[in-house]
Amino acid sequence: MNNPNKSFTIILILFLLSGNFLLAQNNTSSPYSKFGTGDLNNVAFGRNLAIGGTGFGIRDNHFLNIKNPASITSIDSLNFLFETGVFYQYTNTQTSDFERDYNDGNLSHLVFGHRYTNWLMGAYGLMPYSNIGYNFRTEESLESEDSKVYTDWIGTGGINKLFYNLGYKMTKNFSLGAEAAFFYGPFNESKKTWALVQPNNSTYYYTDTYYYGFIFKGAFQYSLNLGDKGTNLTIGGTISPQQKLRGKTNIRIDQYYGEVYLDSMYYDDLRTYPIILPLTYGAGIGFTWKGKYLFAADYERAGWSVNSDRAYIDQTIYSFGIERLPRNSLNYFDRCSYRLGFRYDSGYIMYRKNNISDMRFTAGIGFPIQKSASMINLSVEAGRKGTTRMGLIMEDYVKFTVAFSFQDLWFVERKVN
């Protein structure tokens, strides 16, 4: 892309379309998305996903790494970067009684950024923070009667994250970063309750909650050259203080006989109890050896137990990754990046005395686009979430992501001979 105005138009269209798409579609079919704020989305994307979701200690002048806002100061002054991606996930859910498969897919993110001055860089975009999408049935026995009551639960929605990052380069080796984000989105749930003795007589309970709030995060990154050409160590971290998402809820209860609506039994519009987003912090390192290999490791901690709901527990995440960096070669596959990683998430929800933890292995390849610094990043994540103990659900999943990382030279004076 050689025309900045054309590039900006394309980006703006993608940004507007992605906002509608994220709001209109479900990114998950997990029953566990009923609890808390839903399935929390990994902040990392593109290249980072394939190396276990690491990113606190990674600096690269060809990629936007929003996991650490301070890292964006590494971007070249003439580059305008933007990245978007799509994903597909296959999930097999199991309990001691049944087994079921799900297929999900959606747009994963849209981010772009550029440098303002030699020491100030900005990045901004849209991505999901949490996803809700469940559909299951529960049953209870009626006392003193040989019958059961069934409830069908359906939930959709989630929280979207519209964010703006700034990176400030204080010295050659040290950078600070900050993120301001607006969180917004609906939590929609419907419950249909009916008894086996009267299957046509059902009660519907609807709740539509809309949450919103501004969230802030600080970051730093320090990079040290270790002598050998291309050998360096980078240390980075982020911290986000405790903040709240406030919301409003509409509640409606309807009575049906078969498909015939009988009566609206209850309706109310009220403020809901806020969700407390906890103090969250993380740190990581990135070690590059002779410009050939990158080794990265991250640690993250979030104090979700600050919420009054006893289902919340404190969350810990460990992630590791290794990447064989591109070579300067005429061979195309030598110019590709090859990545492996691992991520363990203790989860932030406890149900029936079990943590809903998540463990995954990751891999990926970065394919350079000819005659440019742009790249197509393919990643695959294979993991397991939950357990079959205590009647719970275990999810085995495989997730494929294709992320397109584009670079365009802006602010270059064109010369005509």
Side-chain angles (χ1 to χ4, degrees):
M1 294 182 181
N2 297 318
N3 188 333
N5 293 326
K6 182 179 179 181
S7 301
F8 183 78
T9 302
I10 293 174
I11 294 169
L12 182 60
I13 292 172
L14 285 171
F15 183 76
L16 294 175
L17 289 177
S18 67
N20 292 329
F21 195 72
L22 288 170
L23 287 171
Q25 303 294 325
N26 286 330
N27 293 337
T28 182
S29 296
S30 172
Y32 292 120
S33 66
K34 171 177 171 49
F35 304 104
T37 60
D39 275 351
L40 298 181
N41 193 52
N42 193 346
V43 176
F45 48 74
R47 173 200 190 187
N48 304 72
L49 283 179
I51 49 178
T54 56
F56 290 132
I58 295 177
R59 289 180 68 82
D60 195 302
N61 59 358
H62 297 302
F63 293 96
L64 285 169
N65 172 25
I66 65 163
K67 189 169 185 180
N68 187 338
S71 71
I72 61 177
T73 59
S74 63
I75 302 300
D76 185 83
S77 60
L78 299 179
N79 277 343
F80 187 98
L81 283 75
F82 56 101
E83 182 171 318
T84 187
V86 294
F87 79 90
Y88 162 77
Q89 180 169 315
Y90 164 78
T91 306
N92 172 259
T93 60
Q94 304 174 44
T95 70
S96 56
D97 302 310
F98 76 94
E99 184 174 339
R100 186 174 179 181
D101 297 334
Y102 296 96
N103 296 278
D104 298 290
N106 205 339
L107 187 70
S108 59
H109 63 279
L110 181 68
V111 183
F112 39 98
H114 60 86
R115 186 178 291 276
Y116 298 113
T117 69
N118 290 333
W119 44 268
L120 188 65
M121 175 78 182
Y124 29 93
L126 178 68
M127 63 187 298
Y129 171 77
S130 70
N131 304 303
I132 297 174
Y134 56 86
N135 187 340
F136 59 89
R137 175 176 294 176
T138 59
E139 62 179 54
E140 294 183 21
S141 299
L142 289 175
E143 294 183 9
S144 305
E145 293 188 30
D146 187 17
S147 182
K148 293 183 177 180
V149 174
Y150 298 92
T151 302
D152 295 331
W153 304 74
I154 299 176
T156 60
I159 300 295
N160 291 311
K161 175 182 176 181
L162 181 65
F163 64 90
Y164 187 87
N165 287 356
L166 277 178
Y168 176 72
K169 194 170 186 178
M170 297 192 68
T171 68
K172 179 181 179 181
N173 298 326
F174 184 69
S175 295
L176 293 175
E179 177 181 277
F182 179 64
F183 284 28
Y184 64 98
F187 287 18
N188 302 319
E189 182 178 78
S190 67
K191 295 187 294 184
K192 174 187 175 183
T193 302
W194 48 280
L196 188 61
V197 293
Q198 292 181 316
N200 293 326
N201 192 359
S202 56
T203 301
Y204 285 81
Y205 184 98
Y206 302 95
T207 59
D208 299 323
T209 303
Y210 189 88
Y211 285 101
Y212 58 92
F214 286 95
I215 307 300
F216 303 95
K217 178 169 66 176
F220 80 95
Q221 203 169 63
Y222 178 77
S223 187
L224 181 63
N225 192 333
L226 299 181
D228 291 338
K229 185 177 181 180
T231 300
N232 58 73
L233 176 69
T234 300
I235 302 172
T238 67
I239 185 168
S240 180
Q242 178 178 305
Q243 293 153 103
K244 288 183 179 180
L245 295 181
R246 305 185 183 279
K248 295 182 178 180
T249 300
N250 293 319
I251 300 175
R252 191 177 84 248
I253 303 176
D254 294 340
Q255 186 68 42
Y256 280 77
Y257 184 79
E259 299 298 326
V260 180
Y261 169 74
L262 294 181
D263 187 26
S264 180
M265 302 171 60
Y266 179 82
Y267 176 83
D268 201 358
D269 186 355
L270 52 104
R271 287 190 176 274
T272 191
Y273 195 79
I275 296 175
I276 299 177
L277 298 186
L279 171 66
T280 303
Y281 56 89
I285 61 171
F287 175 70
T288 303
W289 183 69
K290 295 184 177 180
K292 297 180 179 180
Y293 296 95
L294 168 69
F295 304 89
D298 283 359
Y299 168 82
E300 302 170 65
R301 179 76 173 176
W304 284 97
S305 62
V306 69
N307 285 276
S308 58
D309 188 336
R310 293 185 180 180
Y312 287 95
I313 59 173
D314 292 342
Q315 179 186 30
T316 303
I317 300 174
Y318 302 95
S319 49
F320 308 91
I322 181 173
E323 177 178 13
R324 200 222 72 171
L325 299 170
R327 307 286 196 260
N328 186 10
S329 170
L330 295 177
N331 186 313
Y332 177 79
F333 290 101
D334 283 343
R335 300 200 305 275
C336 294
S337 298
Y338 300 92
R339 301 152 181 159
L340 292 172
F342 171 79
R343 184 175 188 264
Y344 172 77
D345 182 349
S346 69
Y348 75 111
I349 295 295
M350 177 178 286
Y351 190 62
R352 295 181 181 176
K353 299 182 179 180
N354 285 277
N355 288 23
I356 311 304
S357 60
D358 185 342
M359 181 177 67
R360 69 186 71 178
F361 293 90
T362 65
I365 303 177
F367 296 100
I369 298 175
Q370 294 283 14
K371 298 181 180 181
S372 75
S374 302
M375 182 169 282
I376 300 174
N377 296 291
L378 306 182
S379 66
V380 58
E381 303 168 81
R384 172 171 290 180
K385 182 177 181 179
T387 177
T388 56
R389 294 193 300 268
M390 300 292 292
L392 297 179
I393 298 173
M394 182 173 67
E395 301 176 359
D396 292 322
Y397 61 87
V398 180
K399 181 178 180 181
F400 301 92
T401 303
V402 182
F404 304 90
S405 180
F406 298 106
Q407 294 191 45
D408 192 12
L409 291 177
W410 282 26
F411 320 114
V412 177
E413 183 180 351
R414 308 295 179 181
K415 295 183 179 181
V416 179
N417 292 328

